[in-house]
Amino acid sequence: MTEPERIVVQQSFPDPRPTTNPYIVMLRDALTSTPGLEVRTFSWRRALLGRYDVFHAHWPEILVSGQSRMKALVRQGLTVVLILKLRVTRTPIVRTVHNLHLPDGISRRERAILRWFDRRTTLRIRLNPTTPFPDGTAYETILHGDYREWFGRYPRPARERGRLGYFGLIRRYKGVEQLLEVFARIAGDDLRLTVAGKPSTEELAETIRALADRDERVRVQLSFLQDSELADLVGRSELIVLPYRDMHNSGGVLTALSLDRPVLVPDNETTAALADEVGPAWVSRYAELTPEVIRAAAEHARGVEGRPDLSARSWADAGPQHATAYRRAIDLVRGGRRRGRSGEQTVSS
């Protein structure tokens, strides 16, 4: 049996740190263990001066942002040079679509560069089967892997009756303010709510504190959670409530399910498909978040036992699946048909 042709992949993420999204760490590990792949983490020197076969982007907006206006301008200039290099060298861009839309609050220049980057993208990877693309888009479906092994190293506390939880970065679109306002209208003292995560702004943090201070059943921890803290919070909860206003790809949902805790999420095409996949008992959905919805979901969660079905999300499959996507992107560029072989090829092991 012949060895597969080696593919050098330049990732858009740097060497992982303790606060790096576990998805990135597990993806890197899956790719580096795949025969035929050489994975390089990001630095501007490697990206601009190195030789590689594929550039794999995750959150392109990180490339053009900076902590100061000057740093942002420098990064934007470097990103322009990078796009030109990829075009001249005919290096395909593969992009994992974590978010459907550009982030809010970015400059006109950032928006223009990111749209150019998007036009130059050869192939997209979607993390769930409901991500929509325009006709003629080349894409692959590679499901977001689970977190069972990642959190398996931490103790598993027993569920505490009546305890609900929210965790993760707190941004406006994640609906935490609405959750606190609705929870305050639930009668009785049999339910408690823990909200933990780092707010995106100090103004948002002050709003969360003010809402929480009005209800003695609510506890907040407005800081970045260590993995051990996250596992403890989820493990002690009977139900995880994630009231995102726009839920599409959610590592939080998969984290809760990986730790065998039911979730309450908005009802849409993505969450309906997830319920069908993992088992409907594990994914309660709502059209409008109300006190009655939260109480009913909490009572339902109390009777859920066993484990959700996450068999389709094994990281053992992720490396070979990505290798197939990279080879397809290279073929599209080398064949001069970057848009020609459009449509989906769902990758399977």
Side-chain angles (χ1 to χ4, degrees), residues 9 73 191 281:
V9 183
L73 285 171
L191 295 181

Side-chain angles (χ1 to χ4, degrees), residues 199 201-211 222:
T201 65
E202 184 54 36
E203 178 186 13
L204 180 55
E206 291 175 1
T207 300
I208 299 298
R209 290 191 194 98
L211 290 169
L222 301 185

Side-chain angles (χ1 to χ4, degrees), residues 26-40:
M26 290 188 287
L27 175 63
R28 179 206 60 182
D29 293 346
L31 296 179
T32 55
S33 64
T34 300
L37 291 185
E38 178 183 332
V39 179
R40 297 178 184 173

Side-chain angles (χ1 to χ4, degrees), residues 205-218:
E206 291 175 1
T207 300
I208 299 298
R209 290 191 194 98
L211 290 169
D213 286 345
R214 301 190 311 201
D215 193 334
E216 63 182 11
R217 301 170 300 172
V218 175

Side-chain angles (χ1 to χ4, degrees), residues 170 195-199 204-209 220-224:
I170 300 175
V195 171
K198 184 176 181 179
L204 180 55
E206 291 175 1
T207 300
I208 299 298
R209 290 191 194 98
V220 297
Q221 179 184 339
L222 301 185
S223 60
F224 177 81

Side-chain angles (χ1 to χ4, degrees), residues 55-253:
F55 186 86
H56 186 178
H58 293 272
W59 293 273
E61 59 268 24
I62 295 175
L63 296 174
V64 298
S65 64
Q67 295 180 341
S68 68
R69 185 171 181 272
M70 181 56 65
K71 286 184 178 179
L73 285 171
V74 170
R75 284 186 160 203
Q76 289 157 23
L78 292 173
T79 303
V80 168
V81 175
L82 173 61
I83 297 172
L84 290 172
K85 173 199 169 168
L86 298 176
R87 181 177 182 179
V88 170
T89 60
R90 300 182 68 198
T91 302
I93 298 173
V94 172
R95 180 188 167 196
T96 297
V97 182
H98 294 275
N99 301 314
L100 292 181
H101 308 292
L102 293 176
D104 295 329
I106 63 176
S107 69
R108 186 177 302 175
R109 183 186 299 107
E110 288 173 296
R111 192 174 296 275
I113 295 171
L114 291 174
R115 285 176 173 166
W116 183 29
F117 187 93
D118 194 60
R119 290 195 300 271
R120 295 301 310 165
T121 297
T122 306
L123 181 141
R124 289 159 179 80
I125 293 172
R126 65 179 187 175
L127 298 173
N128 72 68
T130 64
T131 300
F133 292 120
D135 291 343
T137 301
Y139 65 93
E140 305 275 1
T141 300
I142 303 177
L143 296 182
H144 190 308
D146 67 57
Y147 294 95
R148 279 181 171 161
E149 183 177 351
W150 183 268
F151 287 104
R153 71 194 83 175
Y154 301 111
R156 301 291 297 274
R159 291 182 293 183
E160 297 178 4
R161 188 177 180 86
R163 181 163 175 172
L164 315 181
Y166 168 92
F167 65 90
L169 295 176
I170 300 175
R171 297 189 170 100
R172 292 288 183 188
Y173 81 90
K174 294 193 173 183
V176 178
E177 309 102 293
Q178 181 192 15
L179 171 60
L180 291 170
E181 290 168 350
V182 173
F183 186 83
R185 306 203 309 269
I186 299 176
D189 59 2
D190 58 319
L191 295 181
R192 291 163 293 138
L193 173 64
T194 299
V195 171
K198 184 176 181 179
S200 57
T201 65
E202 184 54 36
E203 178 186 13
L204 180 55
E206 291 175 1
T207 300
I208 299 298
R209 290 191 194 98
L211 290 169
D213 286 345
R214 301 190 311 201
D215 193 334
E216 63 182 11
R217 301 170 300 172
V218 175
R219 175 181 173 269
V220 297
Q221 179 184 339
L222 301 185
S223 60
F224 177 81
L225 289 181
Q226 300 295 329
D227 288 340
S228 58
E229 296 176 301
L230 192 158
D232 185 76
L233 183 156
V234 175
R236 294 181 188 279
S237 300
E238 288 190 310
L239 175 72
I240 297 299
V241 186
L242 299 172
Y244 299 4
R245 297 188 182 99
D246 182 16
M247 176 169 283
H248 190 70
N249 293 314
S250 173
V253 170

